[in-house]
Amino acid sequence: MQTVLVVDDEPKIRTSLRGILAEEGLRVLEAEDGRAALETVRRERPQLVILDIWMPEMDGLELLEKLQEEPSAPPVIMISGHGNIETAVKATRLGAFDFIEKPFSLDAFLRVVNRALDHKPASVATESLGDNTPGPATNTDSISDPALIAGCTPRCQRTIRRSVVASGVGLHSGVKTGLILQPLAAGSGIQFTGLSTDEIVPADITWVDSTGYATTLHRNGVTAKTIEHLLATCHAYGITNLLVKMQGEVPIMDGSAVAFCDLLDSAGWEDQAARSEPIVIRERLLVGNPDGEWISIEPSDGFSITYQLRYPRPVGAQDYTYDHRGPQSFRNEIAPARTFGFLKDMKALASMGLANGGRLDNFILIDDEKVVNTTLRFPDELARHKILDIMGDSYLLGRPLQGKITAHKTGHSDNIALMREIRRTHQA
């Protein structure tokens, strides 16, 4: 029988949680403050601690830090009636397994408890991508992990080894926000959720709600905005099962996907027993006007994207082809490419309530003559960023692709239109 310790200064909360957990066949212990909780952990060695944040004398975050110093620190689920994404990010950084906001549903609570009790912490939590890669593959430019190359071989499903967090602002909302990434079981897919709901919105084209300047998902009251850079990174790293806790919009970071690469590198990954078969393109598909904006995909032995960008001066024409060879090629060629915008469009975006989080350090700003706020990381950085967006939008199919994508002057709406056509014609 597994043991759970409930730490809360409110007797009614402890009694309620005791009843719920006991019905699940768990042995339940209680503590009303931090001092009693530490004594119980050292004496009983519970498999899980459920910890309220707001308590007198020693609050939950302080106790969480002390619990992490114990020789066999149990996983900790934080609960709070006054939580927000910043508190959740802080708790996760301090070592919490998860964060739940009161009031929570019984089903949502038990799902988190079961995940925590089933969780097997990684014996080594390194910061190196190569150290977390199964088999002999290493994190070098010259060696790629064949299992990560979409379309080459059937692949294992994959999740991260431990929870990781990030903070930032939303590009379009301008609101300070955060991101918590957590492992999920095989077959779960990538799921977005908030702190105060047990609803999720899957990363699937079925739930695309908007494609204006970013890709937004919506389902049953849960909205996930500007998801494409994170999904592109999951695509490149082969992450198929992941829980993403957020507050409305994925933070923009520096406008590129580098920070998300860093997150997955620090989390590590583990392969799972289930397979992740690529969608193999059997015939050429084209969406759009061949004389204007269009995007196509055709059969190929691997996965590649060519983007043909055409803007008036000072941008002009940019063309780039990316052949996906695993996470390191993505990190080197595509992840550093930042989002961009034009000074003449800023007023229109503001009138639509967009780009409120745009800062001079998180996107490329272009006027009628030049880039005004930064130095380009690549001569064709804008075309590479369009490829980044396509990689993210294409992962809304839920599986990697085997095919060659070519895009000409397109955006998110075109990307999603092609993905819907692929699903319609490749339902196997």
Side-chain angles (χ1 to χ4, degrees):
M1 181 179 291
Q2 292 179 298
T3 299
V4 179
L5 171 63
V6 177
V7 187
D8 199 303
D9 62 324
E10 297 185 34
K12 290 183 179 179
I13 296 291
R14 297 199 306 271
T15 300
S16 177
L17 293 181
R18 171 187 280 276
I20 293 170
L21 296 168
E23 286 184 5
E24 296 298 307
L26 299 168
R27 175 175 176 248
V28 184
L29 305 176
E30 298 179 27
E32 65 180 1
D33 56 39
R35 177 190 55 78
L38 280 173
E39 292 176 357
T40 304
V41 167
R42 290 163 181 166
R43 183 179 66 251
E44 299 286 346
R45 299 297 179 192
Q47 281 75 51
L48 175 64
V49 174
I50 298 172
L51 175 58
D52 187 34
I53 283 186
W54 303 108
M55 297 188 300
E57 297 183 15
M58 183 190 301
D59 69 26
L61 293 175
E62 184 180 353
L63 177 56
L64 174 62
E65 287 188 270
K66 292 183 180 297
L67 289 173
Q68 300 309 303
E69 298 170 359
E70 292 298 305
S72 299
V76 177
I77 297 172
M78 305 293 295
I79 57 175
S80 173
H82 308 282
N84 56 43
I85 192 67
E86 291 180 62
T87 307
V89 165
K90 184 175 181 180
T92 307
R93 280 204 175 107
L94 291 173
F97 176 81
D98 208 339
F99 183 100
I100 307 176
E101 188 175 26
K102 302 175 188 174
F104 45 77
S105 75
L106 175 60
D107 288 344
F109 175 70
L110 291 177
R111 277 199 297 270
V112 175
V113 167
N114 288 328
R115 281 200 298 116
L117 290 171
D118 291 341
H119 181 62
K120 303 295 189 296
S123 57
V124 179
T126 68
E127 298 298 315
S128 165
L129 172 64
D131 289 346
N132 292 288
T133 306
T138 59
N139 184 21
T140 67
D141 293 342
S142 58
I143 301 177
S144 296
D145 177 0
L148 285 173
I149 303 177
C152 290
T153 58
R155 309 184 316 170
C156 291
Q157 291 187 27
R158 176 169 288 173
T159 192
I160 58 176
R161 296 179 69 190
R162 61 188 179 102
S163 298
V164 287
V165 299
S167 300
V169 297
L171 175 63
H172 294 297
S173 67
V175 174
K176 187 174 182 180
T177 185
L179 192 70
I180 303 173
L181 307 183
Q182 297 177 339
L184 278 185
S188 300
I190 297 175
Q191 305 175 5
F192 292 87
T193 189
L195 295 179
S196 58
T197 178
D198 62 334
E199 297 286 351
I200 60 101
V201 54
D204 189 278
I205 56 172
T206 304
W207 307 109
V208 172
D209 181 63
S210 169
T211 53
Y213 298 97
T215 300
T216 298
L217 305 176
H218 182 83
R219 174 180 178 266
N220 292 345
V222 178
T223 299
K225 301 178 181 178
T226 319
I227 60 170
E228 56 271 15
H229 302 170
L230 175 61
L231 283 185
T233 310
C234 291
H235 191 167
Y237 280 64
I239 302 297
T240 55
N241 301 301
L242 185 70
L243 182 64
V244 183
K245 286 195 167 187
M246 53 181 288
Q247 190 167 297
E249 187 175 10
V250 174
I252 191 61
M253 313 311 284
D254 74 341
S256 77
V258 169
F260 299 127
C261 292
D262 292 341
L263 269 185
L264 295 187
D265 287 351
S266 65
W269 64 64
E270 58 184 31
D271 284 347
Q272 299 166 300
R275 306 298 288 177
S276 176
E277 303 287 348
I279 298 173
V280 180
I281 299 302
R282 299 184 294 267
E283 60 182 346
R284 186 173 187 262
L285 302 172
L286 183 143
V287 171
N289 180 357
D291 296 323
E293 296 181 11
W294 57 269
I295 182 170
S296 69
I297 190 167
E298 57 192 273
S300 173
D301 292 335
F303 178 61
S304 67
I305 302 172
T306 295
Y307 195 87
Q308 301 166 353
L309 184 143
R310 302 290 184 268
Y311 278 115
R313 289 181 57 84
V315 175
Q318 295 184 12
D319 294 60
Y320 192 77
T321 295
Y322 171 65
D323 292 306
H324 184 52
R325 300 180 302 281
Q328 196 60 36
S329 66
F330 174 79
R331 215 186 207 292
N332 291 342
E333 298 179 51
I334 302 302
R338 295 159 293 177
T339 193
F340 60 91
F342 296 89
L343 189 61
K344 60 183 174 60
D345 296 331
M346 290 298 104
K347 186 176 293 186
L349 287 172
S351 69
M352 293 186 287
L354 299 174
N356 292 319
R359 306 285 186 267
L360 292 180
D361 61 351
N362 65 15
F363 79 118
I364 300 167
L365 182 62
I366 305 167
D367 67 10
D368 292 335
E369 298 180 359
K370 61 185 181 303
V371 173
V372 300
N373 65 324
T374 187
T375 300
L376 293 181
R377 294 173 178 173
F378 310 99
D380 45 19
E381 184 171 357
L382 278 59
R384 295 186 193 221
H385 185 81
K386 289 288 192 177
I387 291 174
L388 174 65
D389 286 344
I390 292 173
M391 282 198 70
D393 289 339
S394 67
Y395 214 41
L396 290 169
L397 289 168
R399 293 158 57 191
L401 280 170
Q402 179 179 327
K404 173 180 172 54
I405 294 175
T406 303
H408 182 79
K409 298 168 55 176
T410 53
H412 290 290
S413 59
D414 306 289
N415 303 342
I416 298 302
L418 178 62
M419 298 313 128
R420 286 179 170 144
E421 184 66 11
I422 291 171
R423 175 159 293 178
R424 187 186 69 81
T425 56
H426 294 73
Q427 285 290 346

